[in-house]
Amino acid sequence: MTMTAHSHFTTARRRLDRSSFPWRLYARALRQGVWNPHAIDFRQDRQDWLALTPLQQDVLLRLTGMFQAREEAVTLDLLPLVQAVAQEGRLEEELFLTTFLADEAKHTDFFNTFLEEVAEYTGDLSAYHQANYQAVFYEALPNALGRLRQDSSPVAQVRAAVTYNLIVEGVLAETGYHAYLTVLEENAILPGQQQGIVHLKQDESRHIAFGIYLIERLIAAEPELWEVAQTQMNELLMPALGVVQETFDIYGEAMPFGLTPQVFTDYALSQFESRLNRIASAAQMTPAAVDRRYRQESYD
Ligand code: MN3
Ligand code: FE
């Protein structure tokens, strides 16, 4: 569908729907999403970095190398979803999505700043992208989102949101930052990096909330899409968990910081399961009931 003319403007016919979930997410982004990676003081982080062992540095560089490319990927790949939502004239959703894309750009900048100011790393991080990581970030994510350029059908939107919000952000980003922050806190290192990760976690939680909302909205309108969502999740859950496993396999018993794969996978799976249940419930609801549930829930 190519839009060549506007039939009307939402804000001419009505005012912004401020009790809608997407508008409330947008309002939250206006309050919470205003942080500046360049205002973070990384001086102590640099001192801490120099006191780490080479193996500890290698683990943190590997994680950063994975986080960095992931943030770049989600920055590069989001636009077709924004466009699909815009084409449907969903103004409140698009307002939120403008903050979403800016958040991802900021996250890309944040890890880059860490590499420059703390690790002072000038090498190529691609070697840290192993087979499962490549399957998700080099293939599955750009495929699912890029598809929307030719086909913005509800099926393609569900596949895109499951891939982007539930797997890449839900299983991988959220879990990665949770475990990473736990390590930094327990070892009392990298205070600037800790501050940034706290912001990133808040940002990601808004993004994931939007993705779940989008998937529920689509499934409530077309319950058959629940099958599509499940198939997409089942296809991607193994490579996503494989990203964790292949990272631990590199270090074996020598893994520093007392890190275990369970810290990652237990958290990932419990978050994933509760979201799955929530989405499954939308398949039994009318679009109006889903909308009402979101309006009634407190999220401020
Ligand atoms: Mn991000
Ligand atoms: Fe995100």
Side-chain angles (χ1 to χ4, degrees):
M1 183 185 71
T2 310
M3 196 161 58
T4 53
H6 289 290
S7 64
H8 70 279
F9 286 101
T10 301
T11 51
R13 288 186 174 172
R14 63 167 173 80
R15 305 293 82 75
L16 289 170
D17 185 352
R18 300 199 197 275
S19 69
S20 69
F21 188 67
W23 195 86
R24 287 157 65 207
L25 276 179
Y26 170 65
R28 189 169 175 150
L30 292 182
R31 290 194 306 272
Q32 236 179 27
V34 281
W35 61 280
N36 177 0
H38 304 287
I40 296 175
D41 183 349
F42 285 111
R43 280 174 299 184
Q44 182 59 45
D45 293 53
R46 177 65 185 157
Q47 294 312 308
D48 291 349
W49 179 263
L50 293 171
L52 295 174
T53 69
L55 192 64
Q56 289 174 324
Q57 289 184 349
D58 186 70
V59 170
L60 295 184
L61 261 184
R62 179 178 300 275
L63 290 174
T64 307
M66 289 164 44
F67 296 160
Q68 173 79 84
R70 178 175 63 217
E71 297 297 350
E72 177 179 335
V74 294
T75 305
L76 294 174
D77 295 336
L78 182 63
L79 210 51
L81 181 64
V82 183
Q83 183 142 26
V85 165
Q87 278 177 343
E88 294 178 10
R90 298 180 185 277
L91 185 60
E92 287 81 2
E93 292 187 24
E94 197 191 342
L95 291 188
F96 172 69
L97 287 168
T98 64
T99 71
F100 189 148
L101 185 53
D103 289 343
E104 301 302 9
K106 193 194 296 185
H107 298 171
T108 304
D109 187 14
F110 169 73
F111 286 112
N112 205 97
T113 307
F114 174 81
L115 289 166
E116 288 165 336
E117 295 185 16
V118 179
E120 295 193 5
Y121 185 77
T122 54
D124 185 339
L125 296 159
S126 315
Y128 292 138
H129 307 163
Q130 298 181 76
N132 285 289
Y133 186 93
Q134 291 195 22
V136 174
F137 291 97
Y138 289 58
E139 306 289 338
L141 180 69
N143 283 343
L145 275 289
R147 170 79 189 258
L148 293 171
R149 291 201 194 91
Q150 289 88 45
D151 167 17
S152 60
S153 64
V155 170
Q157 289 188 35
V158 164
R159 287 197 184 120
V162 165
T163 306
Y164 193 119
N165 304 109
L166 281 186
I167 298 289
V168 165
E169 296 193 306
V171 173
L172 286 167
E174 188 181 49
T175 304
Y177 297 147
H178 168 78
Y180 184 49
L181 186 59
T182 305
V183 165
L184 300 185
E185 284 172 352
E186 281 176 357
N187 292 273
I189 52 168
L190 310 180
Q193 188 73 345
Q194 287 187 37
Q195 271 179 49
I197 299 293
V198 168
H199 288 298
L200 258 77
K201 286 179 71 186
Q202 286 188 336
D203 295 346
E204 298 302 352
S205 96
R206 293 192 303 277
H207 304 166
I208 296 164
F210 175 81
I212 294 169
Y213 166 82
L214 173 62
I215 295 166
E216 285 189 55
R217 167 166 75 59
L218 291 162
I219 286 180
E222 274 177 68
E224 316 85 71
L225 293 175
W226 168 235
E227 287 293 315
V228 173
Q230 273 181 307
T231 305
Q232 189 77 358
M233 285 185 276
N234 290 335
E235 244 168 61
L236 291 172
L237 192 56
M238 282 307 121
L241 294 175
V243 171
V244 176
Q245 197 51 54
E246 70 192 1
T247 306
F248 277 88
D249 287 348
I250 297 280
Y251 300 95
E253 296 289 299
M255 183 58 126
F257 299 120
L259 270 175
T260 63
Q262 284 74 35
V263 178
F264 289 81
T265 47
D266 290 357
Y267 184 77
L269 289 174
S270 78
Q271 294 284 75
F272 185 72
E273 209 179 276
S274 69
R275 285 165 186 159
L276 209 59
N277 292 336
R278 163 114 195 183
I279 291 166
S281 72
Q284 317 293 328
M285 295 167 74
T286 63
V290 165
D291 184 72
R292 207 173 318 118
R293 176 162 79 176
Y294 270 102
R295 283 175 198 274
Q296 284 164 357
E297 277 169 357
S298 74
Y299 187 77
D300 296 300

